[in-house]
Amino acid sequence: MIKRLWIRRVRRAILATGTTAVLAAGLLTATATTSQAATEGPCDIYAAGGTPCVAAHSTTRALYGAYGGPLYQVRRASDGATRDIGPLSTGGYANAPAQDSFCAATSCVITVIYDQSGKGNSLTQAPKGGFPGPAAGGNDNLANAFEAPVTVAGHRAYGVYIAPGTGYRNNHTNGIATGDQPEGMYAVLDGTHANGGCCFDYGNAETSGTDTGNGHMEAIYFGTNTGWGRGSGNGPWVMADLENGLFSGANRGLNPGDPTINDRFVTAIVKGGPNQWAIRAGNAQSGGLFTGYSGPSPSDSGYRPMHKEGAIILGIGGDNSNGSAGTFYEGVMTSGYPSDATENAVQANITAAGYSSAPTGSGSLTPGSSVSLQATTACCTADYLRHNDTDTKAVISAVDSSSPSTDKARANWIVRAGLADTSCLSFESADRPGEFLRHYGFELYLNTDDGGSNFAQDATFCPTAGNSGQGTSFRSVNYPTKYLRHYDYTAYVAGNGGSNAWDSASSWAADTSWLVGRPWV
C-alpha cells in the first residue's frame, strides 16, 4: 500500500511539472539501490514531492537524472586558465580525470559551483562583508580543488574543502525563499571536518553580507560552536543558523535531542516555514534520518515571522564570518517545505550514491593509497615516520606488529595529490583526517590546512629516487634543495650541509631516503 501511494504521488507530480515520459518511467520504477542514483537525482525526488529545487550544487555528481551541464569550474595557478568540470555522463558522476589532466603539474582552486536547477543560482567567491576575508580586496579564499578527494559509486570525485577564510556566495539569486516563505535544504558534508569557528553554513542569508537582524538567515550549520546553542555530547552538531543564533531546538541553548554526529559522511537537513522549522540528519552512507527538532520557530523577537533575504552562502556566516572549517559535497535548496517522506526518499538516494573515503590502494605513492614510511639509516631501520602523541610534531619511532594500535595508526599516511603541485604529493594523516604533514621553520608538523598558499607549499613534497641509492626521497616543493629528513628522531626538511644542526651532511643521504610500504592498520 505504501509503495502504491508513493507511485501515485510521483505520477501526479510528474504530470503537474511536465517532466518527460522517459524520466517518469525512471521515477516510477526506481528503488533505493546504486542503479537509482543513475536514473534519478535528489531534485527529481523533491519535484515529485511538490517542493522543487531552486538551487542545486554539487562537485561530485549530477543532482537531476537529466542534468548533463557543468558541475563546477576550476582555475589553475600556472596560467590562470579555467575549465568547467561536468559529469561523465548525463545524470552521472563528476569527471575527475578531466580536472586531474587540466591541473597536472600545478594547483587549482574551485572558482564556480554551478547551479543545476536552471535558476542561475551558482556560487562564486564570497566578497567582503561584515567581516573581511584574507584574499585581495577583503574577499574570501577559494577552495583547493584537490583537498577533499572521495569516491562516489567507485568514481573518483572532489569535494569543496573549506579552510578558515574560505567561502562562496551569491547575493543576487532567483527563486530562493524570502520573508517567511517556506523552504527546505540539505547538504552532504564531511562529519570529521569541523571546528568551533563561526560559521560553516549552507543556505539562505542576507543579500548585503552584513548582519541585518534576527531571522534574516535560514541555513544549515555544522560544527562545534557552543556560543548560542548546542546538542548532546561534544559535537559536532547539525544546527540552524537563523542569524544571531545557532539553534539546535526551540530556542537558544541545549537541546539534548540533537545528537553529536561522528559519521564520515553526513546528510544535514534544515527546513522552515511560517512558525515552524526542523532539523533532520543521518549517515550519508547508510540508514535513515533522525529528527533533532521539529516545532515552532524561536520565540525571541524577529523569528516569528522570519525575514529571510534569499542570498546563498557556503562555508561562511551571513555577515561573512569566516572562521569555520568543513567540507561540502552536494546540497540543494527547495521552494516549499518538504515532507519527511520526500526527505526520506532523498536520503535513500544519497546513501545509494555510494560515498566513500576508503583508501584506493596500499603501499604505493599513488594518490589515494595508504602507506607507511620507513627510515633506512642503519641506526633506525625499525623506525617509521609518525605524528607525535604529545604534540603536533612529526617524529620517527619503532613500530612493529606488537605495537599498540594507536602507534600503528599514527604511522599511517594517505597519499594525496600535492596541494601546491599535483605532480608531487601531500601526506594526510590516516587517523586524523584533514590534517597534513607540513614543514614550518623547517621542522615537520601535522596541521590542519589554513587555506593559504603557504600551507599548500609547505605540505607538498616531490618524490625522487632515494638520495642514498635506495628507497624514495621527498623534496620540498618550496625549498628544492631540502628533503624530508629525520634527525635526532625528529622530522625536518633539510639540506645537505648548512648552519642548522639538522642540515648536517653526516648521514644526510640515508636520513633522507625512505622505504614506502604498506600501512600498519
Side-chain angles (χ1 to χ4, degrees), residues 207-223:
T207 57
S208 63
T210 60
D211 180 351
T212 53
N214 295 2
H216 284 247
M217 289 182 62
E218 190 167 72
I220 296 166
Y221 166 82
F222 185 70

Side-chain angles (χ1 to χ4, degrees), residues 197-277:
C198 183
C199 291
F200 181 68
D201 292 346
Y202 172 71
N204 195 320
E206 296 95 335
T207 57
S208 63
T210 60
D211 180 351
T212 53
N214 295 2
H216 284 247
M217 289 182 62
E218 190 167 72
I220 296 166
Y221 166 82
F222 185 70
T224 59
N225 190 296
T226 59
W228 296 275
R230 62 187 302 270
S232 61
N234 296 320
W237 308 281
V238 175
M239 296 193 282
D241 191 341
L242 306 180
E243 191 54 277
N244 296 318
L246 297 177
F247 290 86
S248 61
N251 289 293
R252 294 180 178 89
L254 171 66
N255 171 22
D258 190 23
T260 288
I261 294 178
N262 300 121
D263 300 315
R264 172 60 177 84
F265 295 96
V266 176
T267 304
I269 291 174
V270 167
K271 54 185 174 181
N275 197 25
Q276 64 173 341
W277 73 281

Side-chain angles (χ1 to χ4, degrees), residues 150-223:
V150 292
T151 58
V152 191
H155 299 276
R156 187 171 68 259
Y158 297 99
V160 184
Y161 186 96
I162 301 293
T166 303
Y168 294 81
R169 194 178 196 114
N170 186 335
N171 287 331
H172 306 285
T173 61
N174 176 32
I176 305 299
T178 58
D180 211 24
Q181 292 176 336
E183 67 177 351
M185 62 196 77
Y186 86 82
V188 175
L189 311 171
D190 181 343
T192 66
H193 185 206
N195 71 358
C198 183
C199 291
F200 181 68
D201 292 346
Y202 172 71
N204 195 320
E206 296 95 335
T207 57
S208 63
T210 60
D211 180 351
T212 53
N214 295 2
H216 284 247
M217 289 182 62
E218 190 167 72
I220 296 166
Y221 166 82
F222 185 70

